[in-house]
Short mmCIF file of all heavy atoms in Angstrom, two decimals:
data_model
loop_
_atom_site.label_atom_id
_atom_site.label_comp_id
_atom_site.label_asym_id
_atom_site.label_seq_id
_atom_site.Cartn_x
_atom_site.Cartn_y
_atom_site.Cartn_z
N LEU A 55 15.79 -1.36 -2.18
CA LEU A 55 16.15 -1.92 -0.87
C LEU A 55 17.51 -1.38 -0.41
O LEU A 55 17.68 -1.03 0.76
CB LEU A 55 16.17 -3.45 -0.92
CG LEU A 55 14.82 -4.13 -0.98
CD1 LEU A 55 14.98 -5.61 -1.26
CD2 LEU A 55 14.05 -3.91 0.31
N ARG A 56 18.47 -1.33 -1.32
CA ARG A 56 19.79 -0.78 -0.95
C ARG A 56 19.69 0.70 -0.62
O ARG A 56 20.36 1.19 0.29
CB ARG A 56 20.78 -1.02 -2.07
CG ARG A 56 21.28 -2.44 -2.14
CD ARG A 56 22.46 -2.58 -3.08
NE ARG A 56 22.15 -2.19 -4.44
CZ ARG A 56 21.69 -3.01 -5.39
NH1 ARG A 56 21.50 -4.28 -5.12
NH2 ARG A 56 21.46 -2.57 -6.60
N ARG A 57 18.84 1.42 -1.33
CA ARG A 57 18.66 2.85 -1.05
C ARG A 57 18.09 3.07 0.34
O ARG A 57 18.42 4.04 1.01
CB ARG A 57 17.74 3.47 -2.10
CG ARG A 57 17.67 4.98 -2.03
CD ARG A 57 16.80 5.54 -3.13
NE ARG A 57 15.40 5.35 -2.87
CZ ARG A 57 14.67 6.08 -2.02
NH1 ARG A 57 15.25 7.03 -1.33
NH2 ARG A 57 13.38 5.86 -1.86
N ARG A 58 17.24 2.15 0.80
CA ARG A 58 16.65 2.24 2.13
C ARG A 58 17.48 1.53 3.19
O ARG A 58 17.02 1.30 4.29
CB ARG A 58 15.23 1.69 2.11
CG ARG A 58 14.29 2.53 1.30
CD ARG A 58 12.87 2.06 1.45
NE ARG A 58 11.98 2.89 0.68
CZ ARG A 58 11.40 3.98 1.15
NH1 ARG A 58 11.62 4.36 2.38
NH2 ARG A 58 10.59 4.69 0.40
N LEU A 59 18.73 1.17 2.84
CA LEU A 59 19.71 0.56 3.75
C LEU A 59 19.23 -0.77 4.32
O LEU A 59 19.33 -1.03 5.53
CB LEU A 59 20.06 1.54 4.88
CG LEU A 59 20.56 2.91 4.44
CD1 LEU A 59 20.76 3.81 5.63
CD2 LEU A 59 21.82 2.79 3.61
N PHE A 60 18.73 -1.64 3.46
CA PHE A 60 18.27 -2.97 3.88
C PHE A 60 19.47 -3.83 4.22
O PHE A 60 20.44 -3.90 3.48
CB PHE A 60 17.45 -3.61 2.75
CG PHE A 60 16.96 -4.99 3.08
CD1 PHE A 60 15.91 -5.16 3.95
CD2 PHE A 60 17.56 -6.10 2.51
CE1 PHE A 60 15.45 -6.44 4.26
CE2 PHE A 60 17.10 -7.37 2.80
CZ PHE A 60 16.05 -7.54 3.68
N LYS A 61 19.40 -4.51 5.36
CA LYS A 61 20.45 -5.45 5.78
C LYS A 61 19.90 -6.85 5.62
O LYS A 61 18.83 -7.17 6.11
CB LYS A 61 20.82 -5.22 7.25
CG LYS A 61 21.27 -3.81 7.58
CD LYS A 61 22.62 -3.53 6.99
CE LYS A 61 23.06 -2.15 7.44
NZ LYS A 61 23.99 -1.54 6.54
N GLY A 62 20.62 -7.70 4.96
CA GLY A 62 20.19 -9.08 4.78
C GLY A 62 20.29 -9.50 3.33
O GLY A 62 20.79 -8.77 2.47
N ASP A 63 19.83 -10.71 3.07
CA ASP A 63 19.88 -11.26 1.72
C ASP A 63 18.83 -10.59 0.84
O ASP A 63 17.72 -10.31 1.28
CB ASP A 63 19.61 -12.76 1.74
CG ASP A 63 20.71 -13.52 2.49
OD1 ASP A 63 21.84 -13.01 2.53
OD2 ASP A 63 20.41 -14.60 3.03
N LEU A 64 19.20 -10.37 -0.39
CA LEU A 64 18.25 -9.80 -1.34
C LEU A 64 17.35 -10.90 -1.87
O LEU A 64 17.80 -12.02 -2.11
CB LEU A 64 18.99 -9.10 -2.48
CG LEU A 64 19.81 -7.87 -2.05
CD1 LEU A 64 20.58 -7.32 -3.22
CD2 LEU A 64 18.92 -6.82 -1.46
N PRO A 65 16.08 -10.61 -2.07
CA PRO A 65 15.12 -11.66 -2.43
C PRO A 65 15.18 -12.03 -3.91
O PRO A 65 15.70 -11.28 -4.74
CB PRO A 65 13.78 -11.02 -2.11
CG PRO A 65 14.02 -9.57 -2.37
CD PRO A 65 15.42 -9.32 -1.90
N LYS A 66 14.64 -13.19 -4.19
CA LYS A 66 14.42 -13.62 -5.58
C LYS A 66 12.92 -13.78 -5.72
O LYS A 66 12.34 -14.76 -5.25
CB LYS A 66 15.14 -14.93 -5.85
CG LYS A 66 16.63 -14.79 -5.77
CD LYS A 66 17.31 -16.10 -6.04
CE LYS A 66 18.80 -15.88 -6.04
NZ LYS A 66 19.50 -16.64 -5.06
N LEU A 67 12.27 -12.80 -6.33
CA LEU A 67 10.81 -12.77 -6.43
C LEU A 67 10.38 -12.69 -7.89
O LEU A 67 11.13 -12.21 -8.73
CB LEU A 67 10.25 -11.53 -5.72
CG LEU A 67 10.56 -11.34 -4.25
CD1 LEU A 67 10.04 -9.99 -3.80
CD2 LEU A 67 9.93 -12.42 -3.44
N ARG A 68 9.17 -13.14 -8.14
CA ARG A 68 8.54 -12.86 -9.43
C ARG A 68 7.82 -11.53 -9.29
O ARG A 68 6.99 -11.35 -8.40
CB ARG A 68 7.53 -13.94 -9.77
CG ARG A 68 8.16 -15.16 -10.34
CD ARG A 68 7.21 -16.19 -10.89
NE ARG A 68 5.87 -15.71 -11.12
CZ ARG A 68 4.78 -16.38 -10.78
NH1 ARG A 68 4.88 -17.54 -10.17
NH2 ARG A 68 3.58 -15.91 -11.03
N MET A 69 8.13 -10.61 -10.14
CA MET A 69 7.60 -9.25 -10.01
C MET A 69 6.12 -9.16 -10.37
O MET A 69 5.48 -8.18 -10.05
CB MET A 69 8.41 -8.29 -10.88
CG MET A 69 9.88 -8.24 -10.52
SD MET A 69 10.17 -7.67 -8.86
CE MET A 69 10.12 -5.93 -9.11
N THR A 70 5.57 -10.18 -11.01
CA THR A 70 4.17 -10.12 -11.42
C THR A 70 3.25 -10.94 -10.52
O THR A 70 2.05 -10.98 -10.76
CB THR A 70 4.02 -10.62 -12.87
OG1 THR A 70 4.54 -11.95 -12.94
CG2 THR A 70 4.76 -9.71 -13.83
N ALA A 71 3.78 -11.60 -9.50
CA ALA A 71 2.96 -12.46 -8.65
C ALA A 71 2.30 -11.64 -7.54
O ALA A 71 2.95 -10.85 -6.85
CB ALA A 71 3.81 -13.57 -8.03
N TRP A 72 1.01 -11.85 -7.36
CA TRP A 72 0.24 -11.14 -6.33
C TRP A 72 0.77 -11.46 -4.94
O TRP A 72 0.83 -10.61 -4.07
CB TRP A 72 -1.23 -11.53 -6.48
CG TRP A 72 -2.11 -11.12 -5.34
CD1 TRP A 72 -2.67 -11.94 -4.41
CD2 TRP A 72 -2.56 -9.80 -5.02
NE1 TRP A 72 -3.43 -11.22 -3.53
CE2 TRP A 72 -3.38 -9.90 -3.88
CE3 TRP A 72 -2.34 -8.55 -5.57
CZ2 TRP A 72 -3.98 -8.80 -3.28
CZ3 TRP A 72 -2.95 -7.45 -4.97
CH2 TRP A 72 -3.75 -7.60 -3.85
N ARG A 73 1.16 -12.71 -4.71
CA ARG A 73 1.59 -13.10 -3.37
C ARG A 73 2.87 -12.38 -2.94
O ARG A 73 3.12 -12.22 -1.76
CB ARG A 73 1.79 -14.62 -3.30
CG ARG A 73 2.94 -15.11 -4.12
CD ARG A 73 3.15 -16.61 -3.95
NE ARG A 73 4.22 -17.08 -4.78
CZ ARG A 73 4.07 -17.54 -6.00
NH1 ARG A 73 2.87 -17.63 -6.52
NH2 ARG A 73 5.10 -17.94 -6.70
N ASN A 74 3.67 -11.94 -3.88
CA ASN A 74 4.91 -11.25 -3.54
C ASN A 74 4.69 -9.83 -3.05
O ASN A 74 5.58 -9.23 -2.48
CB ASN A 74 5.86 -11.26 -4.73
CG ASN A 74 6.38 -12.64 -5.02
OD1 ASN A 74 6.42 -13.49 -4.13
ND2 ASN A 74 6.75 -12.89 -6.25
#
Side-chain angles (χ1 to χ4, degrees):
L55 287 170
R56 283 192 300 269
R57 189 178 75 77
R58 293 188 179 270
L59 305 175
F60 179 75
K61 303 289 184 205
D63 295 333
L64 295 176
K66 294 180 176 120
L67 302 174
R68 279 189 16 224
M69 300 299 276
T70 57
W72 168 252
R73 68 177 178 268
N74 290 336

